Amino acid sequence: MAGQLISIALTVDQHDAGDYFWVLLESFDNSMEFEPLMEAATGFSTYIEALQAGYVVLKGMSEDLNVGPREEGEELLIAQERGANGQL
């Protein structure tokens, strides 16, 4: 099997202007502390639109959704991040 499963959380933030932004957070070493991994570069008019867009990005981080994103796929992850509607 591939490397260890990467612990990633998806959330949505609402900025002062009212737009919603998806944010992917990553936890290291199985801790309960999460750090920003990626965020939408542009806002969405509704929460559900931002949530769905973030989910698409999260699903794209894994070649096989049965096992999820793994540490060995970091090169693929970086390439996908640059092509997604997001930033580091």
Side-chain angles (χ1 to χ4, degrees):
M1 178 175 269
Q4 184 175 350
L5 181 66
I6 301 170
S7 182
I8 300 174
L10 168 61
T11 190
V12 174
D13 287 338
Q14 186 175 23
H15 291 196
D16 291 336
D19 290 338
Y20 297 89
F21 291 77
W22 58 262
V23 181
L24 293 179
L25 305 167
E26 183 175 4
S27 175
F28 300 94
D29 301 324
N30 296 319
S31 73
M32 293 305 295
E33 294 184 30
F34 285 81
E35 298 178 17
L37 175 65
M38 292 174 53
E39 179 176 320
T42 58
F44 296 85
S45 59
T46 65
Y47 176 90
I48 191 66
E49 289 173 329
L51 183 64
Q52 289 173 332
Y55 183 60
V56 168
V57 174
L58 179 59
K59 286 187 347 184
M61 296 172 76
S62 178
E63 289 184 25
D64 182 352
L65 293 177
N66 290 313
V67 297
R70 301 287 170 159
E71 287 181 353
E72 289 180 351
E74 289 184 22
E75 296 82 17
L76 175 63
L77 174 62
I78 291 168
Q80 288 175 338
E81 288 172 359
R82 291 183 182 149
N85 181 18
Q87 58 190 14
L88 289 175

